Structures are given as C-alpha cells and as structure tokens.
Amino acid sequence: MTGWERTEKDFPAPRRSNGQDFFRWSEVAQWLDLRAVPPGRLVDGEPAGTSYGDRARKRAAGAAAASGTATRRGAARPYRVPTGAVDEPGSESLRVVAALMGDLVDRVRGAASVLDYLNLLLCLHFLRGAAPERFGALAARARVLHSLDEASELLKDIGRTTDEDMRGIGVHSSMQQALERLEPRTARDLGKVVEAIGCLTEDVFGLILDEYERQATLGSGEFFTPRAVVRLMTRLTCSPFEPEEPLSVYDPYARDGGFLIEASAFRASDTRGRTHGGVARTYGETRRADTWRLATMNLLLHGVSPSLDLKRTLPWQDSSGGASAEKFDVVLSNPPFNMTDPGREERSEGQWAFGAPPVDNDNFAWVQHCLARLRAGGRAGIIMPNKAGNSSHRADRAIRANLVERGCVECVIALPAQMFTGTSVPVSVWILRSPTDPCESTLFLNARHMGTKNGPRRTLSPADVESILSAYQSRTSTDPALLHRQHASDGIAVPGAVVSRADLRRSDYSLNPLDHVARHNEEKAEAALELSRAREQLHAAEEYLHRVQEALARRPLEARHRAPGPVADRQAPMVELASVCEIQAGPSYSKLGKKQRTADGTVPVVFPRHLKDRRVTDEADERVTQGTARRLGAFELHDQDIVCVRSGAITQPALVQPSQAGWLMSPNIIRLRVTERHAGRVLPEFLFHYLCLDETVAWMQDRAAATAAPSLRSESLGSLRIPLPDLVEQHETVAALNDLDALDRAHRTVAACVRRTRTALADTLLAPRTHPAFDPLAHDRPDKETP
C-alpha cells in the first residue's frame, strides 16, 4: 500500500490513527477497479476485463471462507440478529444521560473539547455492548481509582480497547488519542462516568448524541433523526417487498446509522418478532470522520454490518464510479436541507434526470440522487422541508413538475413541528418511486397535529406511527376492509387526500400536504371535541361553585367574628417578622443560572412570574436535575412556606402547597418559614394573609424601591411589624379568609370555563365549510393552462 501511495498520484490517502497509517479497503478496491488485469496475467477462471479490484475481493472472500467466518459486506466477524432503534428512552435513562452531560462534562474534559468527552461516553457504551467482559474489567478498575495517574492510564486503555475492537472489523479508529486529551479534575469524576454508563439498561446511543447536540448548541442536527420517524419511513418503504425477498438499503447521509439499523431489524423479523432467515444488505455514506466512527459503533451494537464509507465530496460530485453507480431496492435518508431562498442560477455540475437544481440549495439535488440510486421497482423515503414542496423558484417548480409527470411521488406526509433538535422548521416525509414503476396519483397526509410535547421537542408515540401507517394503507390499498376503515376514520385520525396528476398540475405542482388536505373535517372534529370538553369543564366548575356557596351558607362569615367585649377589643401584640420566621433569600445566579437549568430536569424552580393570585402556579417551565437540587438543598421549599418576590415587580406573596414541596426557589425569591420554636404559636397561613394586605404589599414595594437596584432585602423584610393574636383568633381569621379565597377561585374558574365554551361554540358554528385550497368554483372556470 505504501509503495502504491508513493508512486501513484491518485491512490487513496491513508488515515492516521495512534501513530499508524491505515488505508480504507473500500477506497483501495475502487481504485483497483479502474485497473484491468493485463491479458497475459489472467489466471484460470478469470475472464477478459477482470480488474485487480475483482481479484482482491475474490481473494478476501476466500480468506474469510477458509477461516470459517460468516461475513457480510465490511464485516470480519459474525453478527447477531439486528435489533431496531428503541422507542423514546425511559425517565431513568434520561436522568442518567442528563447527569453525564451536566457538570461532569467540564470536570472530566478539562482543556479538551466536548467532542472528546462524547467519545469517552460512546466508547464505554460501545464496549459495554460489544465487549462486555473487557468493559467489566475496565469498570472494576474505575471503582478503585486513587490518583490522576491511574485515571490517565484508564482513559488510555479505554481508547486502546475500543480501537482494537473496531480495527478487528476493518474500521480505523483514533479513540485512544481523543481520550488521552481528557484531563479529569479528580479520579473520582472519571469513576462516576464509568459507573453511570454501567447503570444504563437500554440503547441510549442516539440519546447521548442528541444530548451532545443540544448541550453544545450546535444547531446542526448532525446526528439525530427521531426514532419514530425512522421507524415510520422504514416501514413505508420496506413493506412493499416480500419478506423473504433479498433487499438492499442505502443511506447517502447516514448520520448515526439509524435508517440502516431499523431496515435491517425490520427485514430480520416480522411484526410479531419472529426471526426471518435473512436481513437487508446495507450501505451508507457519511462526510464527517467523527460521525463515521460513531455511526459504525452504533451499527455494531445493533448487529448490523458497518458498511459505511467516508466521502469527501457530495454524492453528485463523485466521479470515481464504482459503488457510486450501484442501485438499491430502498433508499432512506435525512439529508441536510436548505431553508434559504436559492439564487436564480442553475448549477452546471452533475447529471440531473429531472432538471438542474438551483445554485446554493441542495434540496432537490438530494431528491434526485436518491431516485438515481433506486433499482427498477425501488422505493425511497427522504425528509424534506415543507417549503421545498411549494417553492416558487423556477428550477424547483420544474423539478417538481417532472417528478409528478413521471409518477415518482407516491406519498407526502406533513410531520409536527419541533421534532428535531437543531431546528423547529416543519418538515415532511416524501415517499418516492422509481420512474420504472410510476403512480398516477399522490397521497397527502397531514400529521402535524400528532405527537406530544417532550421538553423542547415533540415526539410521535408508537400509536401515532401506527395511525399514520393505517391512514396510508387504507388510502392506497384496494382491500375492501381497508377501504371501509378509511371511510370510518377519514378526517379524524390522520386527514389525507389522494390527488390526481391533473389536480397537481392545477396546484402548480405543489407537494405541500397543507395545500391539498381538506382540513375542514379535521377542524370540525377537533372543534366538536373541544366544545364537548369545554362544556364538561364548565359543568364541573359550576358544580364546585355551588358546593362552595352551600358550605358558606351553613357557616356565615358573621359567626366567625368574636362577640364584642373587653377580650375581643384587646389589641394583639406586635412582633417583628424576623422574630417568628426564618427568612432565606434565593441562591446566587452563579449557583442557579441558565447553565444549571435544563428541559430534561425533574425539579421545578419557582420564579417571580410563577406567583399569581396569591398562589404558586404549576407551570413548572424551569427545572433542574436531582443532583443540582441536592446541592441546593438549603433553598428547597416546604409545604406552608411563604414565598415573596425579591427583585423585580413586588406583588402579593404565595403560599406553597403540599404538591409543591421539594421545589426550589430562584435567585429572585425570598422564602419565609415559621421557626420550630414558634410552630405551635404562629400559623403560616395567618402570616401569609397579613402579607397579602394591600398596605403590606405597598410597604414592601417602598422598601424595595429604596435600594440602588430595586430589591427587597431580607433584613428589611424581617423588620416588618405584624400583629400576632392568640392561636384561636388566628384559626378563625384564616378560616374566614380561606372560605372567601375558595369562593373567589370558584368564580374565576367558572368565568374561564364560560370563555372557553364560548370560543369553542363560535369555532363550531362559524368555521368555514371548505378549505381555502379547494375553490368550489374552480371547475366552473376555464383551465388556464396552456396546451
């Protein structure tokens, strides 16, 4: 190899790993494909035109057969039955991964990059699944680390062990070099990382990558495609092929290898989990070395042959031939898409069967590349931005027109927004056919309303995926049972429309589902459901108000006042608030700032905006992890604590409810808690009602405004003098005010439910009867298209 590298200018460049040069077998084989064996050097059985690449592959296969190893493309050892991507991880795995990507990142990486730390996590996770005995030995060492020198040696051995295992299957890796750059603060920090990885009980490879993407705020979405979307696209494209039929699958932008994993698992077993005889042959490409290594690990952990090539150019710029010309049954991909408006020019490079894409926008370049790699009768699934479906750019429209006229667009499914880490851009799944097997119409499905909120993203549940698949099958099948299912659920679960080629012409070849799916059925069903829910809530609110009013009628407020006399007229003693309460200001911003808060946390943090109507709302839109909460235990809230605004607009305080115990207060909050010594003499609710008085709030506002930066200091609040009657009178006062508070909340709830019911009723009665995209007079007008 090194001789060829010195003498042949076009010979593939090596990769350097741990001080050694490695050449990629696929690149060398492609280079050898361009060199035919001279006729005088052909051996028995080799026909004329045999290349040195053919000879090299034959000899490699023979060597593998002689060793008794069952091989697949790129494999040097047998693989287990492929397992598909799991559903969204459970809460425990989310918690562990959040902890691993929290404070430990900086404590373990030192001056190294976050990517080096990520490599450590994925190396450990890979070894735990691929080489459990070797991981066990490394984990045992991690439990008894005593010095930083021992930690450095352990990091070196983790990287070396991973490199050796990867090299055994023909993949060069430089994890040892990456892990040697890490600088843990303490040996215990590294031990915590290894221990945490050992606690993960499910496949979290994609979760770790996703958390890295989010924490590093890359915004690239480089690694992750939601598992539910991967599963949906795989089943839509692979299902048309017979279970026992050989299947080849290709992903031109493999990311973490999720599509290749899911396709292999889908072909290896049926929907009931029964194992089939064979699996799909997979091949993928990636254009980043770090992604290539990590995706290879992920494939191995799922029992899939790591047939990934690292490409330096975009696929339509590859002129080397070889694998780039290979055709596949299925193409699945989530390529990087462009949202910027393209320039007016059309690109000159590449061969474009459906029209040259515009410069500076690769959306339709990826679409055409996927179609170009399909065999006759093949299927492709590709994720595209909704904007590509109805872009007004001349080149985009021309390509869409050619796709439609040649019958390549089978189905387009609009997905919910905010499904991806790096972007909130709404996208669609395009299911494409080879032009050798054209379709006469296109199915459009609108699934934008589906999914549930999961932190900053939306996720599709397995039931959502099944609903979309059912909608697709019911509208594309000729089975009477499925057709009946379509009419029974049309416009409710997943609204859709089958649009003919002629109608697509009239829509300017729009491939955006929102331009075709009649939404009035969906909106009508949603409006009816909303009205029903609003009426139920209004009825419940009115019943609750009636019960409160009856209770107050049985014990009128006047009965709660003491009879006049010398005892009742006696003045209650005045005491300073600090004498009966512990007053604690919130933590500093350095202890509880934006860095410490995370959408995946489990402990809510109370901010001034959460103090509304004398209560702490249950919005809980700011959270921290359990570990952060333990470190900030001094700022934990208990039942019956009183919380006041410390800085900002001073409003009425709030009383902490039992369900909110364990929450944290933010830096802009002050907490009041009756001391243990006064617990039997002072009711927290009595203090709370006194602090809610208008004159008391005005007093606090005046003290806050007296400082350079408006803020209510603990010392100032502690100097507030309050009346403290005996315990009996405190109970009576609290009971009377609580009754009126309950009546106030009941009236507010009824009013809110009345407003919601009114809005729902208006939506039901006044909603438009047709979707704007469908003009009822359109068929009565002359066709504007030119012949």
Side-chain angles (χ1 to χ4, degrees), residues 137-464:
L138 294 169
R141 289 172 55 186
R143 287 192 290 268
V144 293
L145 288 176
H146 297 294
S147 67
L148 288 177
D149 288 339
E150 291 179 358
S152 297
E153 282 299 314
L154 180 60
L155 285 170
K156 179 179 179 180
D157 289 344
I158 292 171
R160 178 181 53 78
T161 303
T162 305
D163 289 340
E164 290 176 355
D165 199 83
M166 297 280 284
R167 199 172 300 140
I169 51 142
V171 177
H172 93 278
S173 177
S174 55
M175 291 301 179
Q176 181 177 332
Q177 291 179 339
L179 270 54
E180 285 179 340
R181 291 192 287 266
L182 298 172
E183 301 173 354
R185 293 185 188 177
T186 68
R188 180 57 187 151
D189 288 331
L190 178 59
K192 289 179 180 178
V193 171
V194 180
E195 180 184 6
I197 291 292
C199 293
L200 295 172
T201 57
E202 57 184 295
D203 172 24
V204 293
F205 203 95
L207 175 62
I208 294 173
L209 292 174
D210 190 30
E211 185 68 10
Y212 163 70
E213 173 82 9
R214 189 185 66 79
Q215 297 245 355
T217 61
L218 299 180
S220 65
E222 179 63 36
F223 294 118
F224 190 66
T225 303
R227 296 161 180 79
V229 178
V230 171
R231 184 161 298 163
L232 172 67
M233 293 171 62
T234 301
R235 291 181 63 178
L236 286 171
T237 53
C238 294
S239 294
F241 298 90
E242 293 298 326
E244 301 302 329
E245 183 181 349
L247 193 70
S248 57
V249 182
Y250 167 59
D251 184 351
Y253 201 87
R255 297 181 185 268
D256 66 345
F259 284 114
L260 304 181
I261 291 169
E262 190 66 27
S264 295
F266 181 75
R267 295 297 290 182
S269 59
D270 60 20
T271 55
R272 297 181 181 179
R274 295 177 298 193
T275 302
H276 288 163
V279 297
R281 181 176 65 81
T282 60
Y283 172 64
E285 295 171 357
T286 182
R287 281 153 188 84
R288 285 177 48 173
D290 53 353
T291 308
W292 173 60
R293 287 191 292 268
L294 299 178
T296 298
M297 287 185 186
N298 201 15
L299 290 166
L300 287 169
L301 286 175
H302 288 83
V304 181
S305 172
S307 49
L308 283 179
D309 276 347
L310 179 60
K311 297 287 187 178
R312 302 298 182 182
T313 60
L314 291 168
W316 47 88
Q317 298 171 342
D318 187 0
S319 59
S320 62
S324 63
E326 185 177 354
K327 305 289 185 178
F328 297 88
D329 299 307
V330 171
V331 177
L332 290 162
S333 193
N334 175 16
F337 50 75
N338 302 97
M339 289 304 298
T340 57
D341 291 326
R344 294 184 177 181
E345 297 182 53
E346 297 178 3
R347 66 186 71 197
S348 57
E349 84 279 3
Q351 297 180 355
W352 309 105
F354 299 88
V359 174
D360 301 329
N361 192 302
D362 291 338
N363 292 338
F364 283 100
W366 285 107
V367 168
Q368 294 193 67
H369 174 68
C370 290
L371 284 169
R373 301 299 293 273
L374 282 181
R375 284 180 177 164
R379 295 288 188 276
I382 183 171
I383 295 176
M384 292 288 285
N386 286 354
K387 185 176 181 180
N390 54 9
S391 165
S392 59
H393 192 277
R394 179 170 55 86
D396 287 350
R397 182 197 178 280
I399 295 171
R400 291 200 309 268
N402 289 328
L403 290 173
V404 170
E405 295 297 341
R406 295 178 62 179
C408 294
V409 187
E410 178 180 291
C411 179
V412 182
I413 306 169
L415 296 178
Q418 297 177 317
M419 290 201 66
F420 295 83
T421 304
T423 179
S424 60
V425 171
V427 300
S428 295
V429 171
W430 291 22
I431 304 300
L432 307 174
R433 290 184 177 215
S434 166
T436 60
D437 180 26
C439 52
E440 296 301 321
S441 58
T442 300
L443 169 62
F444 293 92
L445 296 175
N446 180 11
R448 293 205 314 165
H449 63 288
M450 305 188 77
T452 55
K453 192 76 171 171
N454 185 5
R457 296 205 336 259
R458 294 189 72 83
T459 57
L460 293 176
S461 68
D464 292 330

Side-chain angles (χ1 to χ4, degrees), residues 480-504:
L482 291 176
L483 290 175
H484 174 73
R485 186 193 307 174
Q486 170 190 350
H487 295 301
S489 63
D490 194 19
I492 298 177
V494 185
V498 178
V499 182
S500 67
R501 193 174 297 172
D503 285 337
L504 285 175

Side-chain angles (χ1 to χ4, degrees), residues 652-653 688-700 723 737:
Q652 288 182 322
F688 163 69
H689 286 300
Y690 186 83
L691 292 173
C692 287
L693 289 173
D694 289 345
E695 62 184 69
T696 307
V697 174
W699 183 94
M700 291 189 288
L737 294 177

